[in-house]
Amino acid sequence: MSSNYLSQIIEKFESELLQDWLKALLNILVRRDAATEKELERLSSQFLRGLRHASEQSQDIESRAWEEIRAVLTELSQLGVKKGFSPAETANFVFAVKQPLFARLRQELAASPEIIAEETWRISTLLDNLGLFTMEVFQKSREQVILRQQQELLELSTPVVQLWQNILALPLIGTLDSARTQVVMESLLQKIIDTGAAIAIIDITGVPTVDTLVAQHLLKTVAAARLMGADCIISGIRPQIAQTIVHLGVNLEDVITKATLADAFIVALQRTGSTITTARQDR
C-alpha cells in the first residue's frame, strides 16, 4: 500500500464505507424522509470520490483540489438548513465517516501500529477541518434564510392600503427602525406612483413609543412622499406620544397630525374634495 493511505482505503472499500457511513448518518438524523435519504446517499457518494482524488493532490482543503468537496459540503449545508437539521447533525455528515474509515485503516495496517496512529491523527485532523467548514457554511446559509425571512416580514408588516380615490393609508405596528423605515418609504412611494394618490395617511397607533429617531424616520417618509407629489397626515397621536414629541422638541408644524385614523380620513377627504353620503332611515 502506498503512503497515501486515505486514498487507497477509499478506493479499496468505497462500497462498504458508503454503506456503513449512511447507516451511521441515518441513526443520527432526527428528521428524515425518503427524499432526504436519497440526497444524502448522492452527496455521500460524491464526497467519498472527491475525498479520494483531493487527498492525492493536497492536504489543504482551501486549495483548488478540494473545490468539489467544498461544493458538496456547501450543498449539504444548504440542505440541512432547508430540512431543519441542527448544526451538529450537519457537521456529523463528515464526522460519521471516521468510524468506518478508521476501522478499515486498522484492518489494512494491523502490522504497523505506529503508522496507524500517525495516519489516524492526520486523517482525523483533515476531517475535522472539513466538519468545521461545513458548520461555517451552515451558519452562513441559515443567516441568509433568516435575513430573507426578516425582509419578507418587514414587507408584510408595512401594507399600503388605498382607502379612497387619491387617499392611501399606511398603518404601522411595532418599532420603526432604520431598516423598516426604508421598506416603509419604498412601499409608500411605489404605491403613490401606482395610484397617483394625493394624500397618504401614516397611522402610528400601533407604534409603542416615539423617540427622536422614530420621529426623524417619520419626517423622512413625509418628505419623500412630498417629493412624489403626495401630502402626508400622521394619525394615531396618543396623549403620551404627543407629550414625548413636545419633550423631544421634534418639529411637526408642517405636518398635519390627528388623534385617530378616522379623523385623518375626514381631513383627507376634505383636502381631495371628496364627500361621503350616508343614507339614514327615518324612524
Side-chain angles (χ1 to χ4, degrees):
M1 182 176 290
S2 69
S3 59
N4 194 336
Y5 298 106
L6 177 59
S7 176
Q8 293 295 318
I9 290 291
I10 295 175
E11 183 177 11
K12 185 174 182 178
F13 299 103
E14 183 173 348
S15 179
E16 294 90 335
L17 284 171
L18 181 60
Q19 184 178 357
D20 292 347
W21 185 18
L22 284 172
K23 183 178 179 181
L25 280 176
L26 296 179
N27 287 333
I28 292 170
L29 295 180
V30 176
R31 303 177 184 86
R32 71 174 192 264
D33 50 38
T36 302
E37 293 178 10
K38 189 174 182 180
E39 281 293 292
L40 287 176
E41 183 177 359
R42 178 181 64 82
L43 292 171
S44 299
S45 180
Q46 290 181 4
F47 180 87
L48 282 179
R49 289 196 301 270
L51 183 61
R52 177 163 65 89
H53 295 307
S55 63
E56 292 174 347
Q57 302 177 53
S58 171
Q59 296 299 304
D60 180 9
I61 67 170
E62 299 295 332
S63 65
R64 293 188 61 183
W66 291 83
E67 283 182 351
E68 181 181 355
I69 290 293
R70 293 197 300 270
V72 169
L73 295 180
T74 298
E75 185 177 352
L76 167 79
S77 298
Q78 293 170 347
L79 175 67
V81 171
K82 186 185 302 182
K83 295 294 184 179
F85 294 169
S86 68
E89 285 177 318
T90 307
N92 274 326
F93 175 87
V94 176
F95 299 147
V97 77
K98 285 185 177 184
Q99 195 280 329
L101 188 61
F102 292 158
R104 268 69 179 189
L105 184 68
R106 290 192 298 270
Q107 174 185 328
E108 290 298 298
L109 298 174
S112 306
E114 292 182 359
I115 297 179
I116 291 177
E118 181 180 342
E119 285 301 303
T120 299
W121 175 258
R122 184 179 67 83
I123 296 172
S124 182
T125 300
L126 179 64
L127 293 175
D128 287 345
N129 289 334
L130 292 173
L132 290 174
F133 172 82
T134 304
M135 292 188 70
E136 289 176 1
V137 176
F138 177 88
Q139 294 290 0
K140 290 179 182 178
S141 299
R142 188 162 64 175
E143 287 171 3
Q144 291 174 355
V145 170
I146 292 172
L147 288 174
R148 185 171 66 249
Q149 291 174 340
Q150 288 177 338
Q151 182 66 23
E152 291 171 353
L153 286 173
L154 280 175
E155 293 173 357
L156 290 173
S157 65
T158 55
V160 182
V161 183
Q162 184 165 5
L163 292 180
W164 204 261
Q165 184 177 0
N166 295 326
I167 302 175
L168 299 177
L170 176 61
L172 298 177
I173 300 175
T175 304
L176 191 63
D177 56 17
S178 298
R180 193 174 179 204
T181 300
Q182 186 63 33
V183 176
V184 167
M185 280 190 187
E186 292 175 358
S187 300
L188 180 59
L189 297 182
Q190 185 60 50
K191 196 70 173 180
I192 291 173
I193 293 173
D194 295 340
T195 63
I199 301 290
I201 302 172
I202 302 176
D203 184 70
I204 62 171
T205 303
V207 177
T209 59
V210 173
D211 54 19
T212 303
L213 188 60
V214 171
Q216 290 175 350
H217 290 328
L218 289 173
L219 291 175
K220 288 179 182 178
T221 303
V222 170
R226 284 176 175 171
L227 289 174
M228 301 302 298
D231 286 330
C232 286
I233 301 173
I234 298 179
S235 65
I237 306 292
R238 302 188 301 277
Q240 299 89 338
I241 290 181
Q243 292 177 26
T244 301
I245 291 175
V246 171
H247 178 72
L248 294 173
V250 177
N251 185 7
L252 294 178
E253 293 180 359
D254 296 334
V255 183
I256 299 175
T257 59
K258 290 295 177 181
T260 67
L261 177 59
D263 293 337
F265 185 43
I266 292 173
V267 173
L269 289 172
Q270 293 171 348
R271 291 175 67 89
T272 57
S274 302
T275 58
I276 299 178
T277 302
T278 60
R280 185 172 60 184
Q281 184 177 1
D282 293 334
R283 295 183 179 179

